[in-house]
Amino acid sequence: MKPAFFCVRIKKMLEFKVTKKSKRSQARLGFLKTKHGVVETPCLVPVATQAVVKTLTAKEVKESKSQILICNTYHLHLKPGEGIIKSAGGLHQFMNWSGALMTDSGGFQVFSLGFGRDFGVGKILKEKMGKDKISLGQQPSLLKITQDGVYFRSFIDGRQIFLGPKESIKIQEKLGADIIFAFDECTSPMANYQYTKKSLEKTHRWAKECLVLKSRSDQSLFGIVQGGRFKDLRIKSARFLSSLDFDGFGIGGEFGDDKKKMMTMLNWVVKELPQEKPRHLLGIGYPEDIPQIIKRGADLFDCNVPTHYARRGVAFVSNGRLNIGQAKFLKDKNPLDKKCSCFVCQNYKRNYLCHLIRAKEITGLKLLTCHNLYFFHSLVEKIKKDIKNNKI
Ligand SMILES: [Zn+2]
């Protein structure tokens, strides 16, 4: 018989405990204890790419019910540079955020600035664009992927930058987040089997190197499962990484809008990963995806949708989305969402928010960001209740 919950002390700085496991799915409740506070899981991790959740202060981020943020290693390396952040006392102090922090490894940029850009797909790949368009030996036009790492051109001044496992770990150690990720190649869904297989071998080699290279004992290191859309590669990756001494696991890869494939991939991977360690799904999408990925066993997941859409004038509400800048909302005296208890919905009406967006006032973007984050976190809380009550 399986135990009702698992408890493990992961090194000194990270403790993860599963407090309830659903009988109906892979969903589970738990908490992650870091040096900067406890994160209750499942948990949405808002994106603070440049050491800021765009438009918000740290206090406002906290008030939106955020527990942990993820910053971007590649962007912070370019601007302002990890040396500046280290001398400011590390990321937490630099950005005045007392909660837990993660940094990604820079591996996603290998995709987004590489084949993602070449094929103009980024996060919105259409299935019809075709598979197997990238084969073994092929290189993206703007960067060069070698056995040791990736050569980028800085988008700021054009200078050449090299990122490999060593550079990524070194930068992340200087930044000082609680959880850091091993350097990987995030493969495109358009890559064929041979390309993905070779890329995975490299990612696994880099994962081992990152474990050896890591020198700070107050940070936790997560390995990243890759393997594209191929079942045998995904299983191989999950098993291989599970055999190594990682504190938790990221599940990476790009699926564009092929949600079905992403969910299938999660089914393959989650059963191979150790139950007692946390799993982080890297970069997910919309409110409707959240229950699905939690049911499949994701404990953490980062998502830029609430903040990104807010800055484009979109509010997420109980019955869908509102393009709040549309003129019809100028006469609407309702809050964004009657069921939402965020401070925006308690204090502002759609008419005023509509005016702010139309007048291109920064405060409008800030208020929508606050609401969207609160709305997404509330959605996760509702799912947590459902897990507790054995509904999912
Ligand atoms: Zn609200």
Side-chain angles (χ1 to χ4, degrees), residues 336-337 340-342 344-345 371 374:
L336 282 174
D337 188 334
C340 179
S341 41
C342 85
V344 181
C345 291
H371 162 81
Y374 193 96

Side-chain angles (χ1 to χ4, degrees), residues 237-307:
S237 184
R239 285 185 185 162
F240 176 78
L241 292 170
S242 300
S243 73
L244 302 177
D245 189 25
F246 283 111
D247 303 312
F249 301 93
I251 303 171
E254 180 54 48
F255 288 88
D257 65 355
D258 192 355
K259 300 275 173 65
K260 234 174 116 189
K261 193 80 203 182
M262 189 174 87
M263 300 305 169
T264 311
M265 180 278 290
L266 264 181
N267 293 340
W268 299 333
V269 166
V270 164
K271 19 177 168 161
E272 303 295 337
L273 294 174
Q275 290 285 321
E276 71 278 12
K277 290 186 181 180
R279 311 147 186 160
H280 178 102
L281 182 62
L282 285 143
I284 68 126
Y286 299 93
E288 60 271 22
D289 303 331
I290 294 178
Q292 298 304 323
I293 62 148
I294 291 178
K295 269 192 214 169
R296 285 167 176 80
D299 301 306
L300 299 146
F301 44 94
D302 60 279
C303 178
N304 74 351
V305 169
T307 47

Side-chain angles (χ1 to χ4, degrees), residues 2 172 175 183 218 238 311 319 328 360 367 374 383:
K2 284 184 180 170
Q172 294 188 79
L175 295 174
F183 190 65
D218 60 345
R311 298 194 307 279
N319 55 353
K328 63 177 179 184
K360 298 193 167 46
L367 295 176
Y374 193 96
I383 299 168

Side-chain angles (χ1 to χ4, degrees), residues 118-354:
D118 282 1
F119 289 97
V121 289
K123 278 272 176 194
I124 46 157
L125 174 89
K126 297 280 181 262
E127 181 72 354
K128 63 176 190 267
M129 295 193 79
K131 290 167 183 165
D132 299 337
K133 285 208 167 175
I134 301 161
S135 46
L136 192 61
Q138 204 167 322
Q139 287 281 350
S141 55
L142 283 179
L143 46 89
K144 191 168 177 248
I145 306 168
T146 71
Q147 284 304 311
D148 303 319
V150 184
Y151 291 92
F152 296 90
R153 283 250 169 242
S154 161
F155 65 86
I156 297 169
D157 53 15
R159 81 189 145 99
Q160 186 167 265
I161 298 154
F162 178 76
L163 263 191
K166 190 170 141 201
E167 291 72 19
S168 174
I169 293 293
K170 239 172 153 177
I171 298 167
Q172 294 188 79
E173 289 194 332
K174 282 189 178 163
L175 295 174
D178 303 279
I179 295 170
I180 64 175
F181 284 91
F183 190 65
D184 63 329
E185 181 185 353
C186 174
T187 41
S188 166
M190 299 168 93
N192 73 6
Y193 185 83
Q194 281 309 316
Y195 184 100
T196 312
K197 186 169 179 271
K198 275 280 167 214
S199 162
L200 186 64
E201 283 166 13
K202 202 162 42 192
T203 287
H204 286 173
R205 186 161 48 77
W206 290 348
K208 280 208 293 199
E209 283 174 35
C210 286
L211 276 169
V212 175
L213 289 160
K214 178 177 174 284
S215 62
R216 276 181 72 160
S217 61
D218 60 345
Q219 290 182 303
S220 305
L221 178 62
F222 282 23
I224 302 182
V225 177
Q226 291 289 353
R229 59 194 155 90
F230 304 103
K231 187 177 182 181
D232 64 322
L233 299 182
R234 281 284 172 183
I235 291 175
K236 189 178 170 187
S237 184
R239 285 185 185 162
F240 176 78
L241 292 170
S242 300
S243 73
L244 302 177
D245 189 25
F246 283 111
D247 303 312
F249 301 93
I251 303 171
E254 180 54 48
F255 288 88
D257 65 355
D258 192 355
K259 300 275 173 65
K260 234 174 116 189
K261 193 80 203 182
M262 189 174 87
M263 300 305 169
T264 311
M265 180 278 290
L266 264 181
N267 293 340
W268 299 333
V269 166
V270 164
K271 19 177 168 161
E272 303 295 337
L273 294 174
Q275 290 285 321
E276 71 278 12
K277 290 186 181 180
R279 311 147 186 160
H280 178 102
L281 182 62
L282 285 143
I284 68 126
Y286 299 93
E288 60 271 22
D289 303 331
I290 294 178
Q292 298 304 323
I293 62 148
I294 291 178
K295 269 192 214 169
R296 285 167 176 80
D299 301 306
L300 299 146
F301 44 94
D302 60 279
C303 178
N304 74 351
V305 169
T307 47
H308 178 89
Y309 275 77
R311 298 194 307 279
R312 278 142 193 86
V314 176
F316 287 87
V317 293
S318 303
N319 55 353
R321 299 178 203 177
L322 304 175
N323 250 315
I324 206 68
Q326 289 175 344
K328 63 177 179 184
F329 292 116
L330 281 171
K331 289 180 181 171
D332 193 333
K333 292 175 189 159
N334 291 301
L336 282 174
D337 188 334
K338 280 180 189 160
K339 291 182 190 158
C340 179
S341 41
C342 85
F343 92 93
V344 181
C345 291
Q346 300 312 305
N347 294 289
Y348 297 94
K349 303 283 185 273
R350 290 176 178 181
N351 52 11
Y352 180 61
L353 294 165
C354 175

